[in-house]
Amino acid sequence: MVKELLKKKEKKVEYIELIYDLIFVYIIGRNNTLLHNTQNGFVQAGMFMAYIMCTLAVIQIWTFTTYYINLYGRNSARDYIFMFVNMFLLYFIGEGTRGDWQEFHTQYQVAWALILINIGLQYLIELRHHKTEPEHKKRITRMAFILFCEAAIVSLSIPEFGAFSTSYFSLAGIIFGILCVSFSSRSTCSGLIDFAHLSERIMLYVVFTFGEMIIAIASYFEGNFNFNSLYFCLMAFLIVVGLFLSYGVVYDRLIDREMNTHGIGYILIHIFIIFFLNNITAALEFMREEEIHLLPKMVFLITSVIMYYLFLFLTGRYSKAKCKADKRFYITMLLSGAVFAALMLLLRENMLINIALTVLFVFGVYLVLYSFSKKVEN
């Protein structure tokens, strides 16, 4: 195993991986449309649950694929074929992601199950190359088992038992996949993963998520060209910039991309970073919609921003040794978040102040992170 690690070459992000990611840009937009089904001043409960499950399901599909490519991707014709098949199936998932999702749930679940089976088959085919390598055999058989079992759970929702049962089977499949991968990582040799490649792939997905956010705030630029319009346009843009810069500091300056780790925890943390970035995108769109009540959309924005930073800080366990933050840093961030939430709720009636507070908070966090990174570098 030591010789294998010494011989291991740095894995490059291939063009096929970038093309594959583009389909997820489309899916992110489709998922966010679910939140535009409102009732009694906020998102319908059923649509919100559908949004959560669809978002987590799609992120999970991406992570399963990325994890396989990181371990065994060869930039071969076989990799291309399997990834293009998944891209084709993801169109059916995107088309089935809509307000009247009950009418399209069959194609959604069939496509989802087939994607999981497709990735599982890649592992089984790869097994022939590692018959004499116990660690690889264990990892391959375990991941194939998880994927086929999750596909079976998802398939249970294909028959039309009703929306209630469909949601339960879908949620059970997602939770099963997350828990099994989490538990299996404890007995996985960390040297199998190329963490530099994995962290770069995840960073690119985060960038695509920010891309959707940039598209979403285009609505702020509609309307009359006056002070109020320009003010809100600038503030919305600065919020996106501040959130992005914070992630950039963590990725560029703090994360140890040469770390010897199995990477599962890093993936799981980013599932929620991406999820809450999607929520922030939706929350920024809500702020312009008068039919949605002020308090719930304000709580949604505050919660999404704070949870994004919470999971961003959790990546600290993958920081360089000299970049580990102390308790004082986390206490400062916790108090800042509490003050931000309190002021936002107290001043919720004044949108001019609220959006400025959000800008001050995200740039305040960025400056703290940037100052910390410069301090540890020196």
Side-chain angles (χ1 to χ4, degrees):
M1 179 61 70
V2 174
K3 290 181 179 179
E4 181 182 342
L5 293 177
L6 291 174
K7 293 179 182 178
K8 196 171 184 180
K9 295 181 180 179
E10 181 183 354
K11 195 177 187 69
K12 302 293 185 181
V13 174
E14 304 292 347
Y15 291 121
I16 181 63
E17 297 176 81
L18 300 178
I19 293 170
Y20 183 67
D21 284 354
L22 292 177
I23 189 69
F24 289 91
V25 177
Y26 161 66
I27 300 292
I28 290 170
R30 295 293 299 175
N31 285 341
N32 288 347
T33 61
L34 294 173
L35 293 176
H36 294 280
N37 295 274
T38 59
Q39 185 178 28
N40 299 323
F42 199 58
V43 182
Q44 297 175 21
M47 288 296 102
F48 192 72
M49 280 302 300
Y51 162 76
I52 291 174
M53 288 189 290
C54 289
T55 303
L56 291 177
V58 170
I59 297 172
Q60 191 183 60
I61 288 170
W62 182 89
T63 56
F64 277 141
T65 306
T66 299
Y67 193 65
Y68 170 80
I69 292 295
N70 185 277
L71 282 170
Y72 304 115
R74 306 174 190 277
N75 196 30
S76 62
R78 173 162 64 91
D79 289 344
Y80 275 58
I81 292 169
F82 276 92
M83 291 183 79
F84 283 136
V85 168
N86 275 1
M87 287 178 69
F88 177 75
L89 292 170
L90 280 163
Y91 275 108
F92 291 99
I93 285 181
E95 183 60 22
T97 306
R98 53 174 67 219
D100 55 342
W101 61 271
Q102 293 92 338
E103 301 295 325
F104 294 83
H105 93 277
T106 299
Q107 74 174 53
Y108 191 106
Q109 305 302 120
V110 169
W112 184 6
L114 287 175
I115 289 170
L116 295 172
I117 292 169
N118 186 13
I119 303 170
L121 287 174
Q122 287 180 275
Y123 276 103
L124 291 185
I125 294 171
E126 184 64 29
L127 188 60
R128 62 181 177 165
H129 297 294
H130 304 279
K131 292 181 179 179
T132 60
E133 300 170 299
E135 187 62 39
H136 282 286
K137 284 181 66 177
K138 182 171 70 173
R139 166 54 39 182
I140 289 169
T141 53
R142 183 184 293 139
M143 286 303 299
F145 174 78
I146 292 170
L147 286 159
F148 289 138
C149 285
E150 183 172 343
I153 295 171
V154 170
S155 297
L156 291 175
S157 64
I158 293 174
E160 297 190 27
F161 297 126
F164 184 77
S165 59
T166 296
S167 300
Y168 261 89
F169 285 128
S170 300
L171 184 60
I174 294 168
I175 293 173
F176 173 84
I178 291 175
L179 292 180
C180 285
V181 171
S182 300
F183 288 132
S184 69
S185 68
R186 298 178 181 180
S187 58
T188 300
C189 174
S190 57
L192 296 179
I193 287 292
D194 186 324
F195 189 58
H197 171 267
L198 182 69
S199 58
E200 184 177 2
R201 288 287 291 114
I202 293 173
M203 177 273 293
L204 290 171
Y205 193 101
V206 172
V207 169
F208 285 133
T209 307
F210 273 112
E212 179 61 28
M213 193 181 296
I214 288 171
I215 294 170
I217 66 166
S219 62
Y220 280 77
F221 291 79
E222 298 172 357
N224 297 326
F225 190 72
N226 52 40
F227 172 78
N228 272 356
S229 175
L230 285 173
Y231 176 80
F232 282 103
C233 289
L234 178 61
M235 293 296 107
F237 180 71
L238 289 176
I239 289 170
V240 178
V241 171
L243 293 168
F244 176 76
L245 289 176
S246 293
Y247 186 86
V249 169
V250 172
Y251 176 78
D252 283 332
R253 296 174 174 269
L254 304 181
I255 296 298
D256 182 4
R257 282 176 276 171
E258 303 303 319
M259 179 179 287
N260 190 14
T261 175
H262 52 64
I264 297 295
Y266 193 75
I267 291 174
L268 292 175
I269 289 169
H270 274 81
I271 286 177
F272 293 99
I273 287 177
I274 293 166
F275 175 71
F276 285 110
L277 277 176
N278 286 330
N279 286 0
I280 294 171
T281 300
L284 289 174
E285 291 183 288
F286 286 166
M287 299 309 290
R288 291 182 54 82
E289 297 182 8
E290 296 181 359
E291 64 271 19
I292 300 178
H293 290 168
L294 180 60
L295 183 58
K297 67 183 179 184
M298 189 65 65
V299 171
F300 187 55
L301 175 63
I302 295 167
T303 303
S304 301
V305 170
I306 290 177
M307 293 303 290
Y308 163 72
Y309 282 115
L310 171 64
F311 282 97
L312 183 61
F313 295 150
L314 287 178
T315 61
R317 60 182 294 193
Y318 297 93
S319 296
K320 301 167 188 173
K322 65 179 181 179
C323 298
K324 300 291 184 182
D326 55 17
K327 290 183 180 179
R328 182 180 177 182
F329 172 85
Y330 291 112
I331 291 173
T332 301
M333 290 296 96
L334 181 64
L335 292 175
S336 299
V339 171
F340 164 68
L343 289 175
M344 288 286 283
L345 290 173
L346 286 172
L347 302 171
R348 63 183 180 274
E349 299 293 340
N350 193 322
M351 298 306 297
L352 289 170
I353 296 177
N354 265 311
I355 197 165
L357 282 173
T358 307
V359 171
L360 288 174
F361 178 67
V362 297
F363 271 92
V365 174
Y366 162 67
L367 291 174
V368 170
L369 285 170
Y370 182 77
S371 299
F372 174 76
S373 69
K374 294 294 288 183
K375 180 181 178 181
V376 296
E377 282 180 359
N378 297 328

